[in-house]
């Protein structure tokens, strides 16, 4: 169908570089296969699609090598390891399926580069569950949006354009009247939350590490518990009480957070206080959580790991059956504790997500532009899903998945091809 | 390659064969009449004294899609009770309430099942459902796609669009989601919950659209019929689990005005309000209504005692039941102006009055519905119990003594409210074969499965004729999938990959213009990107799509 060797323009392209998976991009391709976002771009998609097409050869011990030799060496490293760790996992669904198959065969642990964040959410599901919604519901229904600890847009640039200030909504709501509240964080960029008519969002700032107190207080107020403190982390209790009342009065409030910026000890308990206050609101009105994620394929990793093993990532096949432990099987712990004895690192979307420094034998399946501080034993450049080859990607809400298309010719193999070859060589 | 299955007792209700001894020949995955002149028989299985049936078909089992994966995420403690190591041919995983995908396929095959149908594929989540089912080995799969609370349909009903436009939209959705049929869950209720309605009875209006569940059901039942979809409209009724919902269920049967309709997990919709606790069995009335109305079929959704998890599209009902669950945690979602879901773990207890009576109600329905072609053996896996409990359920149905022994141990107040002990019926092997094979294939619209006639796919299960039917059905001697021996003595011996069954009803493509406009205006993705392609299903060379004729229900099988 598509002639990738010629310059051309592709419409309705899906962008895999954040969890929103906007699928309305127009991309121009030159005859050499370089891409340029010409419509509906954001800073992320322009940067990521805009990297020039390169096809470096694999390297073994820092020297150029053929793909077969690199695969053989990678299989050797994996075969010699007692507890290999397959981490990073920046890939799409088919690549992740290949990761799981290889991990089962090799007795490996799987962990994602963003799982410090995503585990905060998964632990909440495992402990108490939650009540959440998806992007199209937000787009058509939200009347009060409370954003906890993030500006959203530095991670998800087009969120407000597509989900909040959209011109038309399905149920006759004037979207410009939507209310936006930023809760927590310091110097949060709230520009995107300004309504089209210039109305400013409400901002209740606090230090990030005080968010646990603030959210706990808000939950207590939603539960109509009396609070004696006059302020919490610098926010007047009266302001929080007003927010609690607004949440109770709203018809379809949405409380959004991104787990990765909640980078303080036991942030999962703060996520849980968010989700439990949402559950409480639903006794009388409708309210939903909106966990924002899906960057570098973390939703793909969790979804595929869950259906294939029964558990999300941070799962080990070392004992021939899957075992899951959110603490024990973290990349940091396995490397720092000296338990893992080989590292396989995957980052096919982002050249900047390089593996952690380690003295272990390391194999990297990475974006062609990846630059290392520490050359791995084996580097196999792989195609970028959604540009160099097709794929499937899960969105932030973990419900919608979108097909990724091939946009150009690339000589780079897919992650799935490489991992399958390694599995066969074991 | 030709194989011969010699001397088994054949139970093939599609052809009226009830335990007669016959030989079966299989060539290249299909059943053939006899060898060609001089043709070499590559392998002969002596099945003398064995029971031979077509591979079983589970016509309603939650094996793929978002809510199943949410259920898995919710229950690590349950998985830990049943770790599944890898073997030389099978991959690792976990079992029990919501098994991992690979384990799901192995365990179904090891029970003699060769197909399972996911009954709640959301259009917005259809790709995930197929991806998960793509990692379910050996068995065939397929799905029914959910409509009825999607804003698109309700907008069309509110705007009083004509039936042809609705039929086109329904057909487009079947294509886009690669489905075998249409499911409706709490018609309009999932949508009403988003507007903060907490109940929606058959004639209650959605507060925004002013559309009633009755209108949704009637319109969809008619659409399914007019599109010649073989599987009748698959209905999860309104008011699931509510005492007194028997009225809603009886009215639902009447409300489709004679169009074919399948009422799923009807046990959960057969409750009266009699007795001290205002909770009673409506089984007799429900069975009587099914016996009378030939357009109605049902599967039971039997509960069995123990830990499981309920995963449903019905977020309104699941939110209502959230505090009855155990362990105490739950997920409820609004989904994409399309649907919803609710996942609540449940532990059914034999000494709990309600649970014990639910158990009895399910069995009463099985035994009081006269026509085994219109009642189907399900636990609504995993909602009533995990599918691995089917052999136990078959024993309850085929062995009155055993049934009454169990009945005598359940909550005494529940015993007093049930007529179960007075029912003498025992299902025969022939009737079991109807419920789990011939009838299920006919209901789903699989013309080449569920029977052992010439031309059928060679999905064949061979059992030892134990008096203990639980033992018999738990561990078949042989299972053949498309002619290949995949299970021997209840263990997988070969891993194959089954087909995904779909239909492609004809429709006027002009509807796409309206659908595209709707998506571009209100949604966060393009309508084209909702479509699941054959490539998404068959991508890694393991799956394949099998398209079935869309010519209405066939009464006769070849």
């Amino acid at each position: 169908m598509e002639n990738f060797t010629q310059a051309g323009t592709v419409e309705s392209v899906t962008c895999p570089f954040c969890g929103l998976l906007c699928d309305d991009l127009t991309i121009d391709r030159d005859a050499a296969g370089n891409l340029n976002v010409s419509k509906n771009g954001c800073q992320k998609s322009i940067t990521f699609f805009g990297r020039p097409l390169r096809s470096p050869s694999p390297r073994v011990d820092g020297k150029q090598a053929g793909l077969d030799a690199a695969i053989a060496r990678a299989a050797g490293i994996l075969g010699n390891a007692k507890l290999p760790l397959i981490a990073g996992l920046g890939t799409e669904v088919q690549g992740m399926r290949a990761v799981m198959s290889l991990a089962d065969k090799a007795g490996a642990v799987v962990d994602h580069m963003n799982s410090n964040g995503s585990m905060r959410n998964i632990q909440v599901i495992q402990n108490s569950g939650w009540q959440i919604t998806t992007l199209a519901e937000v787009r058509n229904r939200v009347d009060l949006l409370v954003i906890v600890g993030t500006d959203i847009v530095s991670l998800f640039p087009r969120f407000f354009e597509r989900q909040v200030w959209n011109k038309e909504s399905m149920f006759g709501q004037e979207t410009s009247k939507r209310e936006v509240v930023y809760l927590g964080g310091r110097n949060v960029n709230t520009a995107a939350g300004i309504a089209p008519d210039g109305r400013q969002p409400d901002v209740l700032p606090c230090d990030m590490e005080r968010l646990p107190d603030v959210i706990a207080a808000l939950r207590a107020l939603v539960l109509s518990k009396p609070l004696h403190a006059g302020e919490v982390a610098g926010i007047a209790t009266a302001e929080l009480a007003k927010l609690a009342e607004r949440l109770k009065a709203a018809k379809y409030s949405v409380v959004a957070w991104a787990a990765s910026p909640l980078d303080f000890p036991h942030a999962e308990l703060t996520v849980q206080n968010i989700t439990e206050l949402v559950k409480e609101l639903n006794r009388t009105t409708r309210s939903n959580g909106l966990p924002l994620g899906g960057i570098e394929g973390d939703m793909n990793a969790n979804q595929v790991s869950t259906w294939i093993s029964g558990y999300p990532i941070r799962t080990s096949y070392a004992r021939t059956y899957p075992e899951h432990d959110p603490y024990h099987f973290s990349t940091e712990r396995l490397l720092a504790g000296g338990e893992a004895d080989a590292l396989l690192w995957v980052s096919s979307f982002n050249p900047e997500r390089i593996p952690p420094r380690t003295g272990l034998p390391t194999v990297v399946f990475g974006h062609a532009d990846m630059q290392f501080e520490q050359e791995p034993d084996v580097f196999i450049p792989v195609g970028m899903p959604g540009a160099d080859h097709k794929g499937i990607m899960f969105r932030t809400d973990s419900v919608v998945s979108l097909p990724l298309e091939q946009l150009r010719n690339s000589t780079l193999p897919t992650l799935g091809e490489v991992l399958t070859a390694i599995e066969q060589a074991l | 390659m030709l194989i011969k299955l010699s001397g088994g007792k054949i139970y093939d209700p599609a052809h009226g064969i009830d335990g007669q001894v016959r030989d079966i020949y299989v060539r290249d995955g299909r059943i053939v009449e006899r060898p060609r002149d001089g043709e070499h028989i590559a392998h002969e299985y002596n099945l003398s004294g064995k029971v031979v049936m077509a591979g079983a078909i589970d016509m309603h089992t939650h094996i793929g899609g978002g809510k199943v994966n949410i259920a898995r995420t919710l229950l690590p403690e349950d998985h830990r009770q049943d770790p599944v190591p890898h073997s030389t041919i099978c991959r690792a995983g976990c079992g029990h309430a919501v098994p991992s995908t690979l384990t799901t396929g192995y365990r179904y095959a090891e029970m003699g099942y060769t197909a399972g149908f996911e009954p709640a594929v959301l259009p917005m989540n259809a790709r995930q459902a197929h991806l998960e089912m793509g990692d379910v080995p050996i068995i065939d799969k397929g799905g029914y796609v959910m409509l009825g609370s999607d804003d698109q349909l309700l907008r069309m009903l509110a705007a009083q669009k004509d039936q042809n436009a609705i039929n086109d939209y329904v057909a487009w959705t079947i294509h886009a989601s690669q489905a075998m049929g249409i499911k409706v869950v709490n018609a309009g209720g999932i949508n009403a919950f988003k507007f903060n309605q907490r109940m929606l009875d058959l004639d209650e209006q959605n507060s925004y659209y002013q559309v009633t569940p009755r209108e949704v059901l009637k319109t969809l039942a008619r659409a399914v019929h007019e599109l010649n979809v073989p599987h009748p409209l698959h209905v999860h009724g309104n008011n699931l689990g509510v005492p007194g919902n028997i009225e809603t269920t009886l009215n639902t049967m009447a409300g489709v005005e004679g169009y074919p309709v399948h009422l799923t997990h009807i046990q959960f919709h057969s409750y009266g309000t009699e007795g001290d606790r205002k909770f009673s069995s409506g089984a007799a009335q429900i069975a009587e209504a099914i016996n009378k109305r030939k357009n109605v079929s049902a599967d039971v959704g039997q509960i069995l005692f123990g830990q499981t998890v309920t995963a449903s599209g019905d977020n309104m009902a699941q939110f209502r039941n959230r505090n009855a669950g155990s362990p105490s945690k739950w997920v409820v979602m609004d989904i994409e102006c399309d649907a919803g879901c609710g996942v609540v773990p449940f532990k059914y207890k034999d000494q709990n009055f309600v649970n014990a009576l639910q158990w009895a109600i399910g069995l009463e329905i099985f035994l009081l519905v006269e026509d085994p072609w219109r009642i189907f053996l399900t636990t609504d896996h995993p909602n009533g119990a995990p599918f691995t409990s089917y052999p136990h359920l078959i024993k309850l149905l085929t062995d009155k003594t055993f049934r009454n022994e169990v009945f005598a141990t359940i909550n005494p107040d529940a015993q007093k409210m049930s007529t179960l002990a007075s029912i003498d019926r025992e299902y025969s092997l022939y009737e079991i074969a109807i419920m789990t094979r011939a009838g299920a294939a006919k209901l789903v619209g699989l013309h080449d499965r569920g029977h052992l006639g010439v031309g059928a796919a060679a999905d064949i299960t061979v059992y030892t004729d134990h008096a203990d039917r639980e033992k018999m059905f738990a561990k078949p001697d042989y299972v053949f999938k498309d002619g290949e021996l995949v299970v021997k003595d209840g263990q997988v011996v070969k891993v194959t990959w089954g087909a995904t069954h779909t239909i492609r009803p004809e429709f006027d493509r002009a509807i796409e213009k309206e659908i595209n406009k709707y998506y571009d205006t209100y949604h966060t993705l393009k309508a084209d990107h909702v479509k699941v392609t054959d490539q998404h299903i068959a991508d890694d060379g393991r799956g394949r799509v099998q398209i079935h004729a869309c010519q209405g229900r066939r009464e006769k099988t070849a």
Side-chain angles (χ1 to χ4, degrees):
Chain A
M1 35 183 236
E2 189 86 31
N3 184 350
F4 295 116
T5 58
Q6 290 179 3
T9 297
V10 194
E11 290 180 348
S12 302
V13 172
T14 300
C15 168
F17 304 120
C18 86
L20 298 183
L21 300 187
C22 305
D23 66 347
D24 60 349
L25 280 68
T26 301
I27 290 191
D28 300 329
R29 176 186 61 239
D30 71 16
N34 296 306
L35 307 175
N36 175 47
V37 181
S38 57
K39 206 173 138 197
N40 293 331
C42 66
Q43 64 269 35
K44 270 198 173 183
S45 59
I46 289 166
T47 307
F48 277 72
F49 278 121
R51 293 197 173 94
L53 174 64
R54 295 179 58 239
S55 327
S57 84
R59 294 195 298 271
V60 174
D61 298 327
K63 299 188 191 84
Q64 291 199 357
L67 182 60
D68 290 348
I71 285 169
R73 179 65 183 280
I77 289 172
L78 193 59
N80 285 328
K82 289 197 171 60
L83 187 64
L85 167 63
I86 310 180
L89 306 186
T91 184
E92 51 74 53
V93 166
Q94 306 298 9
M96 191 57 206
R97 279 170 140 175
V99 166
M100 294 304 290
S101 182
L102 182 64
D104 188 352
K105 184 90 177 261
V109 175
V110 292
D111 188 20
H112 190 273
M113 61 177 100
N114 291 347
S115 53
N116 281 341
S118 44
M119 274 300 142
R120 293 175 188 130
N121 291 340
I122 286 166
Q123 284 181 282
V124 170
I125 305 175
Q126 291 174 338
N127 189 255
S128 55
W130 61 17
Q131 195 161 0
I132 59 170
T133 191
T134 70
L135 295 179
E137 299 286 1
V138 178
R139 180 180 166 96
N140 290 293
R141 293 181 189 275
V142 66
D143 54 356
L144 171 61
L145 174 66
V146 178
I147 303 162
V148 180
T150 175
D151 64 7
I152 297 185
V153 287
S154 53
L155 292 168
F156 309 92
R158 296 177 67 198
F159 178 84
F160 282 88
E161 170 202 332
R162 289 167 60 86
Q163 261 74 237
V164 184
W165 306 130
N166 41 298
K167 287 202 180 68
E168 289 189 78
S169 71
M170 215 177 317
F171 311 109
Q173 192 188 23
E174 267 188 71
T175 56
S176 63
K177 297 271 191 286
R178 287 173 169 171
E179 298 177 22
V180 177
V181 180
Y182 290 87
L183 179 60
R186 292 281 177 202
N187 305 314
V188 172
N189 173 10
T190 58
I194 299 170
D197 61 8
R199 188 169 43 88
Q200 292 288 324
D202 298 311
V203 186
L204 300 173
C206 73
D207 294 336
M208 281 297 274
E209 55 276 13
R210 296 297 306 279
L211 257 178
D213 308 69
V214 172
I215 297 298
L218 183 62
R219 181 181 171 196
L221 292 163
V222 166
L223 283 160
S224 303
K225 308 262 188 214
L227 281 192
H228 299 295
E231 55 90 28
V232 182
I235 302 173
T237 305
E239 287 294 321
L240 289 173
K242 211 158 70 185
L243 179 57
E245 290 312 311
R246 286 167 76 184
L247 283 163
K248 287 183 190 177
K251 289 199 164 64
Y252 201 95
S253 62
V254 171
V255 186
W257 73 95
S260 54
L262 301 180
D263 194 12
F264 44 80
H266 291 293
E268 70 277 8
L269 298 177
T270 295
V271 174
Q272 189 168 41
N273 268 335
I274 295 173
T275 56
E276 291 297 302
L277 86 81
V278 165
K279 283 181 177 179
E280 174 65 22
L281 289 167
N282 278 288
R283 281 169 12 110
T284 53
T285 184
R286 291 308 322 274
S287 176
N288 275 296
L290 185 71
L292 292 163
I295 296 173
E296 312 287 359
D298 55 28
M299 292 298 161
N300 307 332
N302 277 309
Q303 287 275 31
V304 177
S305 177
T306 301
W307 79 62
I308 286 183
S309 75
Y311 304 102
I313 37 87
R314 293 197 175 168
T315 286
S316 168
Y317 281 94
R319 294 212 274 186
T320 73
Y321 54 84
E323 291 178 286
H324 167 73
D325 191 309
Y327 296 106
H328 196 83
F329 298 125
S330 85
T331 298
E332 287 85 345
R333 224 199 62 82
L334 289 174
L335 294 182
E339 282 181 55
D341 56 357
L343 173 64
L344 277 68
W345 182 263
V346 176
S347 179
S348 56
F349 296 111
N350 190 345
E352 290 168 11
R353 296 301 291 268
I354 57 175
R357 289 189 80 88
T358 169
L360 300 181
T362 301
V363 181
V364 175
F365 311 92
H367 189 283
D369 277 358
M370 204 170 255
Q371 303 286 321
F372 299 98
E373 296 166 9
Q374 181 190 19
E375 177 73 18
D377 299 77
V378 181
F379 173 52
I380 302 179
V382 293
M384 185 167 74
D388 298 333
H389 64 85
K390 286 175 183 270
I392 295 172
M393 191 91 178
F394 278 94
R395 211 166 71 173
T396 175
D397 47 40
S398 216
V399 168
V400 174
S401 64
L402 281 109
L404 304 178
E405 297 301 327
Q406 185 182 355
L407 303 176
R408 64 187 176 194
N409 269 343
S410 162
T411 55
L412 296 175
T414 67
L415 178 70
E417 287 162 358
V418 175
L419 295 190
T420 303
I422 290 173
E423 190 179 329
Q424 280 161 2
L426 277 179
Chain B
M1 189 179 92
L2 189 80
I3 61 173
K4 181 180 181 186
L5 309 180
S6 309
K9 282 186 285 179
I10 311 292
Y11 291 84
D12 184 15
H15 301 97
I17 301 173
D18 183 8
Q20 284 102 311
V21 174
R22 293 198 183 182
D23 297 338
I24 293 173
Y25 294 95
V26 174
R27 186 192 298 121
D28 302 332
R30 295 269 155 182
I31 292 172
V32 295
E33 195 166 357
R34 64 175 74 83
R36 300 187 187 107
D37 288 346
E39 187 174 2
H40 170 66
I41 293 174
H43 200 104
E44 181 171 352
Y45 295 85
N46 178 5
L47 304 183
S48 174
K50 303 288 183 190
V51 169
V52 181
M53 297 182 182
I57 297 165
D58 195 343
M59 46 66 62
H60 184 111
T61 173
H62 296 282
I63 55 170
K67 70 198 170 316
V68 184
N69 236 16
I70 291 168
R72 291 187 185 105
T73 309
L74 265 178
L75 285 178
E77 61 272 43
D78 189 69
H79 308 329
R80 286 189 189 111
Q81 307 298 314
D82 190 10
V84 180
H86 66 221
S87 69
T88 49
I89 55 166
C90 293
R91 285 173 59 185
C94 65
H96 199 245
V98 255
S100 55
T101 49
L102 291 132
T103 307
T104 298
Y106 305 143
R107 290 200 169 162
Y108 259 119
E110 286 173 348
M111 287 195 323
Y113 274 72
T114 51
F117 288 83
E118 164 58 54
V121 176
L122 321 185
M124 286 294 185
N125 186 245
R127 194 173 291 106
Q128 180 180 356
H130 286 293
L131 284 168
E132 289 190 32
M133 289 194 279
D135 278 321
V136 174
I138 304 178
I139 65 170
D140 289 354
K141 30 292 150 162
Y144 318 129
V145 62
M146 260 170 71
L147 287 175
S149 275
D150 54 308
D151 284 293
Q152 171 82 326
L153 179 74
L154 293 171
R155 286 163 66 86
M156 291 175 91
L157 289 174
Q160 300 187 317
K161 293 275 172 132
D162 74 19
Q163 183 76 33
N164 289 335
I166 285 168
N167 293 359
D168 290 336
Y169 169 61
V170 169
W172 180 89
T173 308
I174 289 174
H175 282 242
S177 305
Q178 299 265 17
M180 267 311 280
I182 295 287
K183 164 93 171 289
V184 56
V185 174
N186 186 355
I190 302 165
N191 187 285
F193 183 53
K194 296 171 187 175
F195 292 103
N196 205 25
Q197 287 174 273
R198 301 301 169 114
M199 296 281 276
L200 199 68
D201 212 338
L202 201 60
D203 293 306
E204 232 173 306
Q205 286 187 340
N206 176 299
S207 63
Y208 180 79
Y209 290 107
Q210 269 105 55
V211 170
T212 64
R214 186 189 292 275
E215 292 169 72
V216 172
L217 286 165
K218 202 169 69 183
T219 306
L220 286 175
R222 185 175 161 194
V224 165
H225 181 72
E226 290 182 355
L227 289 166
N228 287 316
V229 173
H231 185 52
L233 181 66
H234 195 103
V235 176
H236 158 142
N238 296 61
N239 292 336
L240 178 141
V242 177
N245 62 13
I246 181 174
E247 289 305 318
T248 310
T249 308
L250 295 171
N251 288 337
T252 301
M253 290 185 200
V256 294
E257 296 179 358
Y259 288 111
V261 66
H262 178 85
L263 299 180
T264 192
H265 41 70
I266 198 160
Q267 177 275 128
F268 290 108
H269 304 270
S270 302
Y271 303 150
T273 53
E274 290 163 25
D276 294 344
R277 310 207 198 187
K278 307 286 174 220
F279 182 71
S280 59
S281 172
Q285 283 163 277
I286 291 290
E288 189 192 349
I290 295 174
N291 291 339
K292 205 167 64 189
R293 295 181 184 277
K294 306 297 179 200
N295 62 317
V296 175
S297 59
D299 64 272
V300 171
Q302 177 67 32
I303 71 142
L304 295 162
F305 303 118
Q307 177 70 56
T308 193
V309 55
T310 63
S312 172
D314 191 347
N315 57 3
M316 179 189 262
Q318 290 291 70
F319 183 81
R320 206 162 50 217
N321 296 330
R322 67 197 184 283
N323 295 325
S326 173
S328 175
K329 48 185 172 182
W330 49 272
V331 170
V332 165
M333 286 185 76
D334 293 340
I335 295 179
E336 212 58 9
C337 299
D338 187 36
C341 81
V343 184
V344 185
F346 255 80
K347 190 169 186 177
Y348 296 107
K349 297 177 182 146
D350 59 358
Q351 296 313 311
N352 172 291
F353 168 74
V354 172
N355 296 167
L357 194 52
Q358 286 179 301
W359 177 88
I361 291 168
L363 293 174
E364 287 170 12
I365 294 171
F366 269 118
L367 297 167
L368 295 174
V369 172
E370 288 157 6
D371 180 1
W373 291 89
R374 291 193 290 119
I375 188 83
F376 297 91
L377 188 143
T378 67
T379 56
D380 186 20
H381 164 81
N383 293 332
F387 67 80
T388 41
S389 53
Y390 287 168
H392 176 76
L393 176 53
I394 289 172
K395 186 172 178 179
L396 288 168
L397 297 176
T398 53
D399 184 340
K400 187 194 165 202
T401 309
F402 174 68
R403 182 166 70 229
N404 285 344
E405 279 167 17
V406 180
F407 182 71
T409 66
I410 66 168
N411 177 288
D413 291 347
Q415 288 182 47
K416 284 183 203 134
M417 297 288 288
S418 170
T419 59
L420 188 62
S422 68
I423 306 175
D424 288 332
R425 183 171 174 194
E426 293 181 331
Y427 269 83
S428 66
L429 286 181
Y430 188 74
E431 289 174 316
I432 295 290
I434 293 170
M435 271 206 291
T436 58
R437 275 86 174 166
K442 186 173 137 185
L443 180 80
V444 175
L446 306 172
H447 304 308
D448 64 343
R449 312 268 156 176
H451 67 94
L452 297 170
V454 169
D459 295 353
I460 303 169
T461 302
V462 178
Y463 302 101
T464 296
D465 194 355
H466 281 294
D468 183 336
R469 296 305 190 205
E470 184 168 353
K471 273 197 187 134
M472 171 178 171
F473 282 94
K475 205 174 166 189
D477 297 76
Y478 300 108
V479 180
F480 298 88
K481 181 75 188 76
D482 295 304
E484 291 195 80
L485 182 67
V486 290
V487 169
K488 190 165 180 250
D489 299 327
Q491 294 282 316
V492 171
V493 292
K494 179 166 190 185
V495 177
T496 62
W497 296 91
T500 296
H501 296 284
T502 63
I503 50 167
R504 303 274 162 90
E506 285 174 25
F507 68 103
D508 181 354
R509 304 271 162 175
I511 192 77
E512 293 216 279
K513 203 175 152 192
E514 190 181 328
I515 293 169
N516 287 338
K517 188 174 160 224
Y518 166 76
Y519 270 84
D520 288 344
T521 310
Y522 299 118
H523 272 273
T524 47
L525 73 168
K526 306 267 179 198
D528 271 349
H529 293 160
V530 174
K531 295 176 184 169
V532 180
T533 64
D534 288 1
Q535 193 222 341
H536 295 151
I537 292 173
D539 206 24
D540 50 12
R542 296 190 306 204
R544 68 196 143 84
V545 175
Q546 183 179 342
I547 303 164
H548 287 265
C550 193
Q551 295 163 357
R553 293 195 74 183
R554 270 206 231 172
E555 292 308 319
K556 284 256 180 259
T557 303

